[in-house]
């Protein structure tokens, strides 16, 4: 069963990206993908989008409190999921959840007893420049999408689909 967690990144975006992209955890970075950004330059890409969003929305504050969001999708060791399959499931979750409006990096870690995805997505949309809003409703949406994707792929879910 896949368990999900999410938290905001307020100041250490570069460190968070470096952690999830660690070659020792991601099969030499073979299990790292970016959407509308290159994983190696994602922090710069995210910042450029944030600057453009601030200008487009005529915001007076220079910097918002949340730079990005870190979503974790952990699979049970009992699930027969390969690292490559888990990575594809993480990319599906990230794209569906963000609606293709936010840059993100997906990294699948295989260094522990369970395979898990780290997804870091920008807090500012590159499409409509809106800010991502995190709340209980958004978390439940993540769980529903993850559960549906797992169910469609024959994996256990964390709650009824």
């Amino acid at each position: 069963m896949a368990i999900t967690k999410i938290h905001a990144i307020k100041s250490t975006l570069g460190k968070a990206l470096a952690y999830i992209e660690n070659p020792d955890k991601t099969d030499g970075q073979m299990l790292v993908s970016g959407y509308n950004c290159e994983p190696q330059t994602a922090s710069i890409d995210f910042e450029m989008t944030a600057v453009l969003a601030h200008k487009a929305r005529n915001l007076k504050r220079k910097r918002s409190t949340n730079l990005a969001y870190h979503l974790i999708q952990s699979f049970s060791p009992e699930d027969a999921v390969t690292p490559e399959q888990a990575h594809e499931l993480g990319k599906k979750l990230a794209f569906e959840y963000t609606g293709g409006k936010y840059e993100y990096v997906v990294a699948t870690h295989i260094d522990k007893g369970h395979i898990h995805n780290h997804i870091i997505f920008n807090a500012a949309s590159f499409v409509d420049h809106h800010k991502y809003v995190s709340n209980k409703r958004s978390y439940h949406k993540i769980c529903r999408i993850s559960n549906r994707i797992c169910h469609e792929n024959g994996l256990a879910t964390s709650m009824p689909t």
Side-chain angles (χ1 to χ4, degrees), residues 36 49 52-59 98-103 122-133:
N36 204 51
T49 298
L52 290 172
H54 276 76
K55 286 182 180 180
R57 298 184 72 211
N58 239 357
L59 297 176
T98 65
K101 295 180 178 183
Y102 298 83
E103 295 119 330
N122 199 346
S125 166
F126 68 89
V127 173
D128 58 16
H129 306 298
H130 285 109
K131 214 49 183 148
Y132 172 78
V133 177

Side-chain angles (χ1 to χ4, degrees), residues 4-13 15-17 19-20 65-73 97 117-123 132 134-135 138-139 142:
T4 55
K5 295 187 260 186
I6 189 169
H7 65 272
I9 298 173
K10 296 181 181 290
S11 64
T12 58
L13 179 58
K15 287 182 181 179
L17 286 163
Y19 170 76
I20 73 166
T65 54
N66 297 331
L67 304 174
Y69 289 86
H70 186 166
L71 169 59
I72 302 167
Q73 179 187 39
Y97 183 66
N117 289 316
H118 291 271
I119 302 164
I120 295 181
F121 63 93
N122 199 346
Y132 172 78
S134 178
N135 54 34
S138 59
Y139 176 69
I142 291 167

Side-chain angles (χ1 to χ4, degrees), residues 96-112:
E96 187 170 337
Y97 183 66
T98 65
K101 295 180 178 183
Y102 298 83
E103 295 119 330
Y104 58 78
V105 174
V106 178
T108 304
H109 284 195
I110 57 174
D111 62 320
K112 301 238 186 243

Side-chain angles (χ1 to χ4, degrees), residues 23-67:
D24 295 334
K25 299 172 182 286
T26 59
D27 191 20
Q29 292 192 323
M30 294 299 295
L31 298 169
V32 177
S33 301
Y35 175 75
N36 204 51
C37 66
E38 289 298 323
Q40 298 82 2
T41 60
S43 64
I44 296 166
D45 297 334
F46 284 23
E47 179 64 27
M48 287 175 44
T49 298
V51 168
L52 290 172
H54 276 76
K55 286 182 180 180
R57 298 184 72 211
N58 239 357
L59 297 176
K60 296 190 186 203
R61 286 189 316 177
K62 286 194 173 197
R63 186 172 210 141
S64 63
T65 54
N66 297 331
L67 304 174

Side-chain angles (χ1 to χ4, degrees), residues 1-3 73-83 85-86 89 113-116 146-147 149-159:
M1 98 177 84
I3 304 294
Q73 179 187 39
S74 298
F75 297 95
S76 169
E78 288 136 26
D79 274 331
V81 62
T82 67
Q85 181 186 21
L89 298 177
H114 64 286
I115 295 172
H116 54 285
S146 179
N147 281 333
I149 289 170
C150 286
H151 180 74
E152 290 170 356
N153 287 274
L155 302 174
T157 59
S158 61
M159 59 185 176

